[in-house]
Amino acid sequence: HPVFRFPVTIRVITQDSVVRSEIMISKLRETFRTLLPGPPLSFRFDEGGWLLGTVETDQTPAELAEMAKHDLDFSARIWALRKVDSLTDSNTVAARRFIVLNEPQPSQRVHALQVAAADRSKETVAIVHSALQDPDSDVRAEAIEVLAKLDSAGVATPAESMYRTDPNTRVRGTALRIFAEVVGSRALPLLVSATNAGLPSPLRMTAARELAKFEDPRATNALEQLTLPGEPRDLRIVGLACLAQQRDSVRAAAVAARYLDDEDPLFASAAARVLGSVGGDEGRARLRAREANENRVTVKRAIAEILKSQ
């Protein structure tokens, strides 16, 4: 393939200067020299990331860490941070901590937190604790996830606090799930209360999925309450599916059978699937009888598919 002639901007940052050089690529191999006022802290080939291609570098971890922290170009900071993902030297570890606290782009802070999950040092745990107060909800959600990995013994209190006070539904749901995973059955009262009407549906769904893990009458009753008419369809379907995950298959089958007559054909179809899954021979017999008299196309098709698959 011929070599295309194209310009490239090279930028070098030193302790007190930013040096830019415009070069013209015209050969397969070329060497360019740039005079600098001091030792380089970081080097950027193709400032702005305009070239369609892959750029490789022999920069040191310290140079990449410096670029990840301070480069003027967001694309360069992204590139440099991902270049050091697998490194654990002091420069890159310090860079990740710096980025969690100071990087203006939330996605970079999230990525730094994700990689920091492998660092169990006290300094990193303290940084993750600080990120629980980040102004961005994605960062806060990631921070509580990472804290659960780094400090499972100490994450329960901040997780419960975030569930109760955070303004973002996703963060609250993440915190609730982590709290339940850490404290086990002690989370049951909080999980049951999180299914209450008036709370956001995603939060109630999170509580339902956690309640499905407990063989406890409080959990079972709360899940059945979520299937009541008047609740949003998606929430009813999740509640019924979670009820079917518990060992009390008789209860789940009875609830599913009751809702074969539900006014919502999509929920009635979901109920038929649950009945076919956990109702045993009696449930399948009920579905066969229902199929003959079912007039709703959606429900009839769902029943036929269930019976055909079993």
Side-chain angles (χ1 to χ4, degrees), residues 37-56:
L41 297 178
S42 69
F43 166 81
R44 173 67 165 159
F45 178 84
D46 182 32
E47 182 179 30
W50 297 105
L51 293 180
L52 296 177
T54 300
V55 176
E56 298 295 341

Side-chain angles (χ1 to χ4, degrees), residues 2-59:
V3 177
F4 290 94
R5 182 180 175 86
F6 55 90
V8 175
T9 301
I10 293 173
R11 188 192 66 227
V12 183
I13 297 178
T14 67
Q15 186 65 43
D16 54 7
S17 301
V18 177
V19 180
R20 289 183 176 86
S21 299
E22 296 289 338
I23 64 173
M24 183 66 69
I25 304 295
S26 60
K27 300 177 182 177
L28 280 174
R29 295 180 180 274
E30 285 188 87
T31 300
F32 299 88
R33 290 177 171 84
T34 300
L35 294 176
L36 301 175
L41 297 178
S42 69
F43 166 81
R44 173 67 165 159
F45 178 84
D46 182 32
E47 182 179 30
W50 297 105
L51 293 180
L52 296 177
T54 300
V55 176
E56 298 295 341
T57 181
D58 59 357
Q59 287 170 269

Side-chain angles (χ1 to χ4, degrees), residues 105-124:
Q105 292 294 332
S107 61
Q108 281 285 84
R109 302 201 297 275
V110 168
H111 187 81
L113 280 168
Q114 291 170 342
V115 180
D119 177 14
R120 298 183 177 275
S121 65
K122 291 182 179 179
E123 294 82 0
T124 293

Side-chain angles (χ1 to χ4, degrees), residues 249 253 274-288 307 310:
S249 59
V274 169
L275 183 58
S277 174
V278 302
D281 293 339
E282 182 178 345
R284 287 188 289 275
R286 185 159 189 167
L287 288 174
R288 279 191 291 270
L307 295 174
Q310 295 176 346

Side-chain angles (χ1 to χ4, degrees), residues 27-272:
K27 300 177 182 177
L28 280 174
R29 295 180 180 274
E30 285 188 87
T31 300
F32 299 88
R33 290 177 171 84
T34 300
L35 294 176
L36 301 175
L41 297 178
S42 69
F43 166 81
R44 173 67 165 159
F45 178 84
D46 182 32
E47 182 179 30
W50 297 105
L51 293 180
L52 296 177
T54 300
V55 176
E56 298 295 341
T57 181
D58 59 357
Q59 287 170 269
T60 66
E63 290 170 332
L64 291 169
E66 185 68 20
M67 181 183 289
K69 290 192 296 182
H70 296 301
D71 200 277
L72 306 175
D73 181 3
F74 177 48
S75 67
R77 298 201 302 277
I78 293 175
W79 177 81
L81 182 60
R82 282 150 182 77
K83 278 287 184 181
V84 298
D85 273 355
S86 61
L87 302 182
T88 58
D89 61 280
S90 59
N91 286 308
T92 54
V93 169
R96 290 184 195 112
R97 295 171 184 163
F98 178 90
I99 289 166
V100 169
L101 295 180
N102 298 285
E103 165 63 43
Q105 292 294 332
S107 61
Q108 281 285 84
R109 302 201 297 275
V110 168
H111 187 81
L113 280 168
Q114 291 170 342
V115 180
D119 177 14
R120 298 183 177 275
S121 65
K122 291 182 179 179
E123 294 82 0
T124 293
V125 171
I127 294 295
V128 175
H129 269 282
S130 298
L132 298 177
Q133 307 301 320
D134 194 277
D136 186 83
S137 59
D138 288 342
V139 178
R140 296 197 303 276
E142 189 62 38
I144 195 66
E145 292 270 20
V146 172
L147 187 61
K149 298 173 183 176
L150 297 179
D151 185 18
S152 58
V155 74
T157 297
E160 183 179 8
S161 175
M162 289 181 79
Y163 164 70
R164 295 186 184 279
T165 63
D166 198 278
N168 182 268
T169 298
R170 181 195 166 209
V171 175
R172 293 184 67 195
T174 301
L176 180 64
R177 171 177 56 79
I178 288 171
F179 179 72
E181 291 172 353
V182 171
V183 306
S185 60
R186 288 198 291 117
L188 269 172
L190 192 62
L191 289 171
V192 170
S193 68
T195 64
N196 289 343
L199 292 174
S201 286
L203 195 61
R204 301 173 77 193
M205 289 182 186
T206 297
R209 293 186 180 102
E210 293 305 310
L211 286 170
K213 302 174 183 177
F214 296 98
E215 302 298 331
D216 186 287
R218 292 171 293 177
T220 304
N221 292 337
L223 291 174
E224 184 172 350
Q225 286 293 309
L226 292 177
T227 69
L228 292 176
E231 294 287 5
R233 177 197 294 150
D234 289 349
L235 184 61
R236 299 180 75 197
I237 290 174
V238 168
L240 185 57
C242 289
L243 189 64
Q245 292 176 27
Q246 296 191 308
R247 281 201 295 261
D248 188 0
S249 59
V250 174
R251 175 89 169 263
V255 173
R258 186 168 73 240
Y259 286 126
L260 291 177
D261 293 318
D262 196 85
E263 293 181 355
D264 182 346
L266 293 180
F267 183 66
S269 298

